[in-house]
Amino acid sequence: MERYTWSSLLLLFFQLQSSSSLVYNTHTLEAPRDLNITDPGYLGLLLVKWSAPYGALMGPACRVRFYLTYFNTYLNRWSVIRTPSTSHRIQVDLSKEVKVRVHSLLNGPCTNYTEVKSTRYAEVVRSPGRGSAVVQRLGCVFHRMEYTECTWEQANHTSLHRLYYWYVDSRATQECPKYIFHDGVRRGCRFTRGQLPVSSLVSICVNSSSPTRASEPAYLYLKIHNHVKPAATEELSLKVVSDVEPRLQLEWTQPVGRVPGHCLQWEVEHSSDRSNGSQPREKGTVTTETSLRMRLPYGKERVCSRVRSKLADCCAKHGIWSDWSHWECY
């Protein structure tokens, strides 16, 4: 009988382990099966489901996981999800092509603790309808953090528009609570404070029906706290103050509404009216204060200033500038 030394036995053991780990490489690890997309009617929140590949190891030591990629409409980039589950919800823009891919992943003793991703993948491509869009320039503004108006333009006046919206905490898709009319035609929807969540993603769809043409819905996905438009500032004053030398100080008050004062940044614009009739306008100054000091005008020079505000980056990713205040002159 052949005798084995300890070193030869160890070598044989590692060779067996190495050969077994090669069983599940990128060529033998199969792609997931039965990939499909279900639309539950939530205006772009889709359910993606699939099955594990045939013969996949499902033991705790070497469990198959999955690598899902899809184009995230809200983030405007491809998103990657690693999950042990065989389903996942994705948010997409239904007016655009939806492409989803799922690979199989394996890691553990069966792969010598090296992650293996299947070369093949399951893919589903969902194309939008072929009708033309009647609604254009669909957008929403959260005025003064008190009410929201979503408005649109249209290519013709023969269509009837209906706005529907959905967010995670709502039980079902709902229709616009109060339409905005222009010349007898629906051109927008008004939401009072509390009818839409401030920080959660809201899905909005405007359907158009016309007796003469097929049309596709328009979709919008947004968080309304990124679409706040403050009210215009109403009170400004210019006065001379003396410190080291006399200066002109512009002061203004917070705009009306529910926008927190610490969230606002201001742009101040100046214009001077000189004796020769010219009115040069200086580039706006951005500040988080509600006052600004400047030089005194020369001779018969007349200095005028105005301000506007929007949410600063510390409170929102985006902001909408308010309308300009009136000009205040000295």
Side-chain angles (χ1 to χ4, degrees), residues 23-24 28-33 50-66 84 86 103-107 110 118:
V23 173
Y24 285 94
T28 60
L29 182 58
E30 294 297 327
R33 302 175 294 113
W50 60 90
S51 301
Y54 289 116
L57 292 179
M58 299 303 291
C62 211
R63 185 179 296 274
V64 173
R65 301 172 72 243
F66 303 97
T86 54
H103 293 258
S104 299
L105 294 175
L106 201 59
N107 196 355
C110 58
S118 62

Side-chain angles (χ1 to χ4, degrees), residues 11 16 20 37 73 98 110 122 125-126 204 283 315 317 328:
L11 179 60
L16 290 172
S20 65
I37 298 177
T73 307
V98 178
C110 58
V125 178
R126 175 174 173 159
I204 293 176
K283 186 178 180 180
C315 293
K317 288 185 178 180
E328 184 70 18

Side-chain angles (χ1 to χ4, degrees), residues 78-206:
W78 284 89
S79 290
V80 175
I81 304 296
R82 294 170 179 265
T83 176
S85 176
T86 54
S87 64
H88 191 78
R89 294 185 183 274
I90 62 173
Q91 181 71 56
V92 299
D93 186 343
L94 293 180
S95 66
K96 300 177 181 178
E97 182 181 77
V98 178
K99 180 180 290 187
V100 178
R101 290 180 178 178
V102 184
H103 293 258
S104 299
L105 294 175
L106 201 59
N107 196 355
C110 58
T111 63
N112 202 20
Y113 298 98
T114 299
E115 184 176 78
V116 173
K117 184 172 75 171
S118 62
T119 303
R120 297 179 180 178
Y121 52 83
E123 182 180 72
V124 170
V125 178
R126 175 174 173 159
S127 300
R130 298 182 178 180
S132 58
V134 174
V135 168
Q136 301 170 354
R137 301 181 183 274
L138 174 61
C140 298
V141 178
F142 191 14
H143 293 278
R144 305 184 310 212
M145 297 189 78
E146 293 181 339
Y147 64 95
T148 301
E149 289 186 343
C150 298
T151 58
W152 57 82
E153 297 178 2
Q154 60 186 40
N156 61 68
H157 294 276
T158 61
S159 300
L160 175 64
H161 306 296
R162 295 183 183 274
L163 180 145
Y164 298 93
Y165 65 101
W166 182 86
Y167 53 92
V168 172
D169 293 332
S170 61
R171 295 181 179 179
T173 302
Q174 303 175 66
E175 189 174 355
C176 168
K178 185 178 180 180
Y179 285 104
I180 300 170
F181 290 86
H182 181 69
D183 293 334
V185 178
R186 290 176 179 175
R187 297 293 294 274
C189 178
R190 182 183 176 108
F191 299 89
T192 59
R193 181 177 175 86
Q195 289 182 319
L196 293 178
V198 174
S199 301
S200 300
L201 185 66
V202 179
S203 302
I204 293 176
C205 168
V206 178

